[in-house]
């Protein structure tokens, strides 16, 4: 019997010999959300995904997909899951359509032509359908992997670095496609080193480091809780600088254009409040700009502890 939780990982440990790649990690995915697993190279992201798709067995702990233990019933969990691996495939001998047909057959979908046509079209692969894999570019191979993961209409999609080596235009169209899949009700777990894109796309993120889950939460809330806002005030020539505990830098602008004061305030603090505290002559302010904290700042804060 399936439940409503696409992924539930409980106290997962994964060792490779004496190396602990995943250390007591627990989290779950909510239905219909996009969850980003972030962290530096070697943090353990792929190792977690490998246990979800039974490429690796957990050393201890449990991994469930829609309530089914992947080690006890891999056939069921595989049929519920689409998986795009980080490494590119090399079935050089077959063409794109054949690969999608074989893969459909593997899931017992012999007459899957409509679904295959739909995916070829959505992933801009239709004109390459009869090319052998070895004739495809890296970005096309990546799209083929995504099509392959979706032929059997899974309810859960695992994307391990789906846009690595993909050009900027294709990257944005792939992310748009992922957002549309979410709109169709799919639950998605992804890893990426493109943090700005994760910020736009992910409802929640988990930050891994050295195999440990350091932080997990709603993307907006993590950014708010972990970052600051930087307010730059450009002052007219002759204006004097005001002392304030939030002031982090003052610099003279070239050619007598005045000076700039940089202040750092908590993410939830308003600029208006800061200005009234500064109690300065507003006529002396030439310009104000605010740089909001982002997910990259939050990530750096967690990873570097600064
Ligand atoms: N099959 C394996 N055998 C031995 N060690 C492995 C194996 N797979 C991964 N490791 C090690 O486990 C650790 C975690 O690797 P993993 O691939 O899970 O990291 P990752 O977060 O996916 O990194 P990346 O961002 O580079 O993809 C690393 O130290 C890696 O060298
Ligand atoms: Mg990886």
């Amino acid at each position: 019997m399936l439940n409503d939780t696409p992924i539930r990982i409980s106290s997962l440990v994964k060792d490779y010999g004496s190396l602990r790649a995943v250390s007591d990690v627990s989290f779950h995915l909510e239905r219909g959300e996009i969850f980003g697993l972030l962290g530096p190279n070697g943090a353990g992201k792929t190792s977690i995904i490998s246990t979800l798709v039974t490429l690796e067995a957990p050393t201890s702990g449990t991994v469930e997909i829609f309530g089914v233990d992947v080690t006890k019933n891999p056939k069921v969990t595989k049929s519920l899951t689409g998986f795009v691996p980080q490494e590119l495939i090399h079935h050089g001998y077959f063409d794109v359509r054949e690969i999608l047909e074989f893969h459909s057959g593997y899931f017992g979908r012999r007459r899957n032509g409509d679904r295959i046509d739909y995916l070829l079209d959505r992933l801009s692969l239709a004109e390459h359908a009869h090319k052998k894999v070895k004739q495809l570019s890296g970005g096309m191979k990546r799209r083929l992997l995504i099509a392959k993961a979706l032929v059997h209409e899974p309810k859960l999609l695992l994307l391990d670095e789906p846009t690595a080596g993909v050009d900027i235009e294709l990257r944005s169209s792939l992310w748009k496609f992922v957002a549309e899949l979410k709109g169709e009700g799919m639950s998605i777990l992804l890893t990426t080193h493109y943090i700005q894109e994760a910020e736009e796309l992910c409802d929640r993120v988990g930050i891994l480091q050295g195999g440990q889950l350091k932080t997990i939460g709603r993307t907006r809330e993590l950014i708010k809780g972990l970052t600051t806002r930087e307010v730059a005030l450009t002052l007219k020539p002759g204006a004097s600088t005001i002392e304030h505990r939030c002031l982090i830098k003052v610099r003279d602008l070239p050619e007598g254009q005045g000076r700039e004061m940089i202040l750092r305030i908590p993410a939830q603090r308003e600029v208006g409040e800061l200005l009234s505290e500064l109690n300065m002559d507003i006529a002396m302010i030439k310009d104000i700009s605010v740089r909001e904290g982002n997910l990259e700042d939050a990530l750096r804060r967690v990873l570097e502890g600064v």
Side-chain angles (χ1 to χ4, degrees):
M1 211 41 204
L2 303 182
N3 73 15
D4 219 25
T5 307
I7 294 176
R8 182 171 298 282
I9 290 177
S10 311
S11 310
L12 176 66
V13 173
K14 177 65 199 171
D15 293 341
Y16 300 105
S18 60
L19 178 91
R20 178 144 295 184
V22 180
S23 179
D24 195 20
V25 165
S26 302
F27 67 92
H28 77 283
L29 206 74
E30 276 165 30
R31 195 170 185 152
E33 77 171 345
I34 302 183
F35 183 93
L37 209 44
L38 309 178
N41 292 138
K45 304 178 295 293
T46 298
S47 298
I48 290 176
I49 291 180
S50 298
T51 63
L52 281 162
V53 293
T54 67
L55 284 173
E56 294 287 349
T59 303
S60 63
T62 55
V63 177
E64 290 174 347
I65 288 179
F66 290 106
V68 178
D69 189 321
V70 300
T71 57
K72 293 189 181 135
N73 211 335
K75 213 169 163 199
V76 170
T77 57
K78 275 185 184 164
S79 71
L80 294 165
T81 310
F83 166 47
V84 177
Q86 185 170 9
E87 302 299 331
L88 290 174
I89 41 170
H90 299 284
H91 320 294
Y93 184 74
F94 299 107
D95 76 23
V96 168
R97 182 175 283 278
E98 282 168 334
I99 286 191
L100 298 178
E101 282 167 356
F102 292 154
H103 206 66
S104 301
Y106 174 79
F107 287 105
R109 294 180 179 233
R110 304 231 185 292
R111 274 183 279 279
N112 208 19
D114 288 351
R115 177 80 181 157
I116 290 174
D117 286 339
Y118 165 77
L119 290 171
L120 288 173
D121 182 51
R122 286 295 299 274
L123 289 156
S124 312
L125 282 170
E127 59 183 298
H128 309 295
H130 297 294
K131 283 191 185 157
K132 304 232 184 288
V133 174
K134 65 181 177 194
Q135 296 171 292
L136 300 180
S137 75
M140 292 172 198
K141 282 188 193 140
R142 190 69 65 191
R143 279 178 280 160
L144 171 58
L145 282 178
I146 296 174
K148 192 172 156 229
L150 293 169
V151 283
H152 60 300
E153 299 182 64
K155 287 149 71 86
L156 168 67
L157 184 61
L158 307 175
L159 299 167
D160 197 358
E161 291 285 337
T163 56
V166 167
D167 70 49
I168 191 163
E169 206 174 316
L170 182 57
R171 228 163 63 215
S172 93
S173 81
L174 278 181
W175 289 133
K176 204 166 138 235
F177 182 51
V178 171
E180 283 169 23
L181 292 171
K182 172 190 152 142
E184 291 163 16
M186 198 173 283
S187 309
I188 298 159
L189 178 136
L190 60 86
T191 78
T192 182
H193 289 288
Y194 294 104
I195 307 304
Q196 196 190 329
E197 291 163 4
E199 177 175 339
E200 285 166 28
L201 205 65
C202 296
D203 301 294
R204 287 193 306 141
V205 294
I207 300 176
L208 273 181
Q209 185 180 33
Q212 293 178 333
L213 188 60
K214 295 286 181 190
T215 311
I216 183 168
R218 302 205 74 76
T219 311
R220 305 280 144 241
E221 283 164 21
L222 278 190
I223 294 170
K224 257 202 149 153
L226 288 165
T227 66
T228 51
R229 312 175 78 190
E230 272 185 21
V231 183
L233 298 182
T234 312
L235 307 182
K236 289 180 186 165
S240 50
T241 320
I242 289 160
E243 285 304 317
H244 190 275
R245 64 185 186 285
C246 297
L247 185 66
I248 55 165
K249 205 183 339 174
V250 178
R251 66 181 189 110
D252 286 321
L253 298 173
E255 291 155 19
Q257 290 178 56
R259 57 168 55 149
E260 192 176 53
M261 283 170 64
I262 314 273
L263 300 108
R264 189 174 286 159
I265 58 175
Q268 51 281 2
R269 198 89 199 277
E270 287 172 5
V271 176
E273 209 180 306
L274 172 73
L275 287 179
S276 64
E277 243 183 59
L278 286 172
N279 199 18
M280 60 197 295
D281 181 2
I282 300 255
M284 295 311 282
I285 301 176
K286 200 152 74 171
D287 216 343
I288 300 178
S289 71
V290 182
R291 183 187 167 277
E292 301 293 345
N294 56 29
L295 187 58
E296 204 162 314
D297 298 329
L299 192 67
R300 205 170 289 125
R301 178 96 190 264
V302 171
L303 298 179
E304 293 167 13
V306 289

